[in-house]
């Protein structure tokens, strides 16, 4: 599988496995290990986590599976996030990007994963109460201690990116953003342009729009179902999923879709999408179907 | 006529003649040559085109007129655009800023104009599927081959400008944007500020708002008709058009309005606007009439 | 009181006294002098003005009070603004950031204040008709003549800031913007991020939202009243005002709230707010109460 370069000594697999619903899959440690190995066999080596996923349980479940075969750690990249606090662990939902919390969160993540380093740590959401000097101090200390190799953000717009980056002595390596043919916001508001400008490949969450294209009744979803079905036939894909992934994969921004499924068949669909080549006409047919009108 | 400097060895006439409706004027080659010479006599030396104007026919009509008097080529600046595909030449409307298409489009434009160079080539619209490395390769090759002297864009917002510029080894020389007292978007969203910041004089399309001020029934148009008529009287202009042009010409951004008419009288109005000096009070009276309220 | 550094030899008091309604207080010169000394005793040394406040009368009233005790001039920082023209002095409301007007406005301000220098001059509003070269010329001349020590802006968004700054040979030292728990625009649109990025501490106008939280019937105001009352009790503040100020003061952007009251008791509330320490949970409870929903 294609590898995407994020730094001199860091690459991600083009497809990333997402663990935000890992707790819902009901897998035993052995089954989860099997899923990880299934991913690795297909070249998916990068795994996306966050401290809060599964009510703060996904990291440790993943770590327990890894512990069955410690040699896997060197073959994978672990991405995790911090900065959101929420029930049940905390009394209310809020953001915390203080130095103390970032470091404590990473320490907990290391314990959960039973590893001594995180490959990439992301600030989960732009925090309107962020003290960028504290974030920089936390990042520098974590890097110096070897606990986190690289840093990035998630859901950041241009102002937030430029602001935080200006306090850091090293470049942020990714911005994890939502993009799909159903949700065009980050394509329309300049966030994807920002990633291209900064040479930062974005991790893409919700590449299938959470299934909305298949189930929602709004005009956009209805239009997209028809267009995706047509393009699916044209390119000979087995499922619409593959076309949804392909629409992102052929974009020049080197988007890395996060495949958030525990089912082998669904992961296979994403892998098959790597072989699809959408034409420019098909790409715009899907875009315009989503917008509901032609480009100007 | 005042000349606007875009690069060390490139200036445009303050007013630009726009050829997007050239095909509708029903002019013979000789009549079109006459119109070009009429412009030149008044100092308008810059002509704005696009591959797609007139269903892909305007460039070649203009080229046929030029061919009647080849010595004119050295006295004019030709601006043209690429990046939009549309029927009837293509099956659907879409953008294409691939290296292949940019170069092929320029080759066709050169053939249409019967010239061996374009003065300035613009990307017609920001392309959400743009590969900026390909655009840069195309631009560099075209420049090296002497086929295009300078490059710019059209309808780009800040994110799109910063992104594309970051891939180019030379500065973009203009951004062709819509501005008029009726359509304030680019004044309000920071795009005109961007042009000032980058020292890039904008070409301005639809400076008369496509006539909306004269015909539309919305409140803004009705208010503006009254205000323009009043200011016209105050400054002693013959027509409202002149005041519309003057409102742009007195702005510090060195806007270059595109006069898109084939009628001599209408072109004369734009030329007369160069002599009008609106006061700051008149400029704001028009702005506030458009907004429907005072500035804060 | 904490001092905020804006330049090598310029600091402001953390709280700023605002004189925009000074003309309404009905104070004699002696009473006004008493108010100024009351502020100074509490460490508030920075006073915010504008040419237009009080129908162009506030500066001179303040100057008359200062004239009673000229030694005070060296103990205070005077901030004033220019760039808005309005009745009754002018026939209509408009902006004027021409070199001529900026310099004439400062000369008038110097006469009004009976001083020979302004500490910081702000452009009051972003002027869509601004000629940044003229602004730069005016600023440079005023600085060279020793009439204005430093320059800033007010109500500028990123595009406007970047544009004007690009023409100046020295950095702008502040952006005076509206921020309160009731009006989140500048927190949400990236303007506060910009201040952090540029290391520019913002002066904050309308920190109490003009009293809207106490009187308005909209859902946001009603929700905020309840939340502020609860937090007031938790932190042991005497009034809700203190919590409103504290919500700004604990933010990392080093916001300098402008206290626009002539009543000693109200100024005392702002001073007491400096001793309050809101928790992160309280800060987000107020934010989320204003938004009407949790952060994402």
């Amino acid at each position: 599988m294609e590898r995407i370069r994020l730094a001199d000594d860091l690459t991600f697999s083009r497809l990333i496995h997402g663990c935000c619903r890992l707790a819902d899959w009901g897998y035993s440690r052995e089954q989860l290990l099997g899923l990880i190995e299934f991913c690795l066999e297909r070249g998916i080596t990068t795994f996306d986590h966050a401290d809060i996923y599964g009510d703060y349980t996904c990291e440790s479940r993943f770590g327990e599976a890894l512990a069955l075969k410690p040699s896997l750690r060197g073959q994978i990249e672990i991405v995790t996030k911090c900065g959101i606090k929420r029930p049940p662990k905390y009394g209310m939902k809020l953001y915390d990007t203080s130095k103390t919390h970032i470091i404590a969160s990473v320490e907990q993540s290391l314990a959960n994963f039973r590893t001594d380093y995180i490959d990439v740590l992301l600030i989960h959401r732009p925090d309107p109460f962020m003290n960028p000097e504290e974030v920089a101090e936390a990042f520098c200390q974590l890097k110096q201690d070897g606990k986190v190799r690289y840093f990035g953000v998630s859901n950041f717009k241009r102002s937030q990116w430029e602001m935080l980056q200006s306090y850091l002595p090293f470049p942020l390596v990714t911005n994890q953003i939502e993009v799909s043919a159903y949700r065009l916001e980050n394509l329309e508001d300049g966030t994807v342009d920002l990633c291209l400008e900064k040479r930062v490949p974005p991790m893409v969450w919700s590449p299938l729009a959470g299934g909305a294209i298949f189930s929602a009744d709004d005009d956009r979803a209805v239009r997209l179902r028809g267009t995706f079905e047509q393009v699916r036939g044209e390119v000979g894909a087995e499922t619409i999923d593959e076309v949804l992934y392909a629409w992102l994969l052929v974009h020049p921004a080197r988007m890395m879709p996060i495949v958030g499924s525990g089912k082998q068949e669904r992961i296979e669909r994403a892998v098959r999408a790597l072989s699809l080549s959408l034409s420019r006409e098909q790409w715009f047919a899907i875009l315009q179907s989503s917008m509901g009108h032609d480009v100007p």
Side-chain angles (χ1 to χ4, degrees), chain A:
Chain A
M1 180 176 299
E2 183 190 4
R3 310 264 324 155
I4 302 291
R5 186 179 166 285
L6 284 84
D8 280 345
D9 59 348
L10 177 71
T11 62
F12 279 1
S13 53
R14 185 69 198 263
L15 294 175
I16 292 169
H17 189 253
C19 300
C20 71
R21 289 196 297 271
L22 182 154
D24 304 333
W25 300 334
Y27 285 174
S28 68
R29 289 190 293 174
E30 288 73 17
Q31 287 173 313
L32 190 51
L33 177 63
L35 183 69
I36 295 169
E37 293 189 308
F38 176 86
C39 287
L40 290 177
E41 286 159 14
R42 273 139 198 88
I44 301 175
T45 64
T46 309
F47 294 85
D48 181 64
H49 285 267
D51 56 343
I52 58 172
Y53 287 163
D55 287 347
Y56 296 89
T57 66
C58 290
E59 288 183 338
S60 57
R61 285 171 190 259
F62 191 89
E64 286 165 13
L66 270 189
L68 295 176
K69 196 167 174 185
S71 67
L72 289 184
R73 180 64 191 94
Q75 303 174 43
I76 69 174
E77 298 80 40
I78 294 179
V79 179
T80 195
K81 315 186 190 77
C82 66
I84 300 177
K85 288 177 168 176
R86 71 180 188 196
K89 191 166 179 182
Y90 299 92
M92 62 178 279
K93 188 164 186 188
L94 77 160
Y95 297 154
D96 189 345
T97 54
S98 66
K99 179 179 179 183
T100 307
H101 179 67
I102 291 173
I103 290 175
S105 184
V106 167
E107 296 287 1
Q108 183 62 53
S109 292
L110 292 174
N112 291 340
F113 286 122
R114 301 167 187 217
T115 184
D116 52 4
Y117 70 98
I118 302 294
D119 290 278
V120 179
L121 178 73
L122 310 182
I123 299 293
H124 206 149
R125 290 268 176 191
D127 174 6
F129 197 58
M130 180 184 289
N131 183 330
E133 292 181 353
E134 284 205 31
V135 176
E137 281 178 30
F139 282 8
C140 288
Q141 182 173 320
L142 289 166
K143 194 174 182 74
Q144 194 172 344
D145 293 350
K147 290 175 179 171
V148 178
R149 298 177 62 209
Y150 290 98
F151 300 87
V153 294
S154 186
N155 305 301
F156 271 44
K157 302 298 183 189
R158 176 177 290 265
S159 285
Q160 297 147 350
W161 176 282
E162 298 277 21
M163 187 273 279
L164 179 56
Q165 181 63 73
S166 77
Y167 285 85
L168 301 177
F170 38 73
L172 295 164
V173 299
T174 191
N175 190 5
Q176 183 174 129
I177 56 179
E178 183 181 21
V179 189
S180 69
Y182 185 69
R183 303 236 173 80
L184 301 175
E185 179 186 305
N186 284 308
L187 272 167
E188 292 178 337
D189 71 5
T191 306
V192 170
D193 292 326
L194 174 75
C195 293
L196 276 164
E197 178 190 333
K198 304 298 182 187
R199 277 63 169 172
V200 164
M203 301 171 73
V204 171
W205 62 271
S206 222
L208 304 182
I213 291 169
F214 307 101
S215 57
D217 286 335
D218 59 292
D219 290 349
R220 188 185 295 255
V222 171
R223 283 193 308 265
L224 278 171
R225 273 201 289 278
T227 309
F228 272 114
E229 180 54 32
Q230 181 184 329
V231 174
R232 186 202 62 70
E234 291 168 5
V235 300
E238 294 179 30
T239 64
I240 282 182
D241 285 18
E242 293 158 56
V243 188
L244 273 151
Y245 284 121
W247 192 79
L248 300 171
L249 290 165
V250 299
H251 189 281
R254 294 181 297 158
M255 297 181 187
M256 299 176 288
I258 298 170
V259 184
S261 176
K263 297 198 175 136
Q264 297 189 354
E265 165 51 19
R266 288 177 181 264
I267 297 170
E268 291 280 23
R269 292 179 194 172
V271 174
R272 287 200 301 271
L274 291 164
S275 315
L276 291 181
S277 65
L278 294 194
S279 69
R280 193 174 298 267
E281 286 72 18
Q282 288 163 333
W283 198 88
F284 274 92
I286 290 166
L287 176 75
Q288 295 177 157
S289 170
S290 179
M291 298 193 303
H293 55 78
D294 275 2
V295 291

